[in-house]
Amino acid sequence: ISFSLPTETNVLLTIYDLKGREIGTLLNENYSSGYHSVIWDASNYSSGVYFVKMVAGEYNNTQKLELVK
């Protein structure tokens, strides 16, 4: 999962299943401005649709992920 930040800020990345249940937090820490990426180790999860929610300062966005094994 790649993202870029215009300024240093705290980044929270959370993964949810299709029913909206939180299944894990990938990040919850400060990141400097620039481009960053994080790897989600989904080896313990089944194929299907998941959502990743990113909160960074005033920015709040949710995107759909499709996991295919």
Side-chain angles (χ1 to χ4, degrees):
I1 300 171
S2 298
F3 59 95
S4 64
L5 301 171
T7 60
E8 181 178 341
T9 188
N10 187 70
V11 176
L12 175 63
L13 278 178
T14 311
I15 303 289
Y16 296 89
D17 66 10
L18 194 57
K19 294 182 179 181
R21 296 179 295 210
E22 182 178 326
I23 61 169
T25 299
L26 298 180
L27 297 176
N28 189 9
E29 57 191 75
N30 275 346
Y31 275 83
S32 61
S33 62
Y35 293 94
H36 305 278
S37 64
V38 63
I39 295 174
W40 176 35
D41 179 9
S43 59
N44 294 329
Y45 300 101
S46 60
S47 295
V49 176
Y50 295 88
F51 296 92
V52 60
K53 180 179 180 181
M54 178 179 183
V55 178
E58 299 287 321
Y59 181 78
N60 186 345
N61 190 22
T62 303
Q63 292 187 354
K64 182 169 64 170
L65 299 175
E66 188 170 345
L67 178 60
V68 179
K69 290 189 171 186

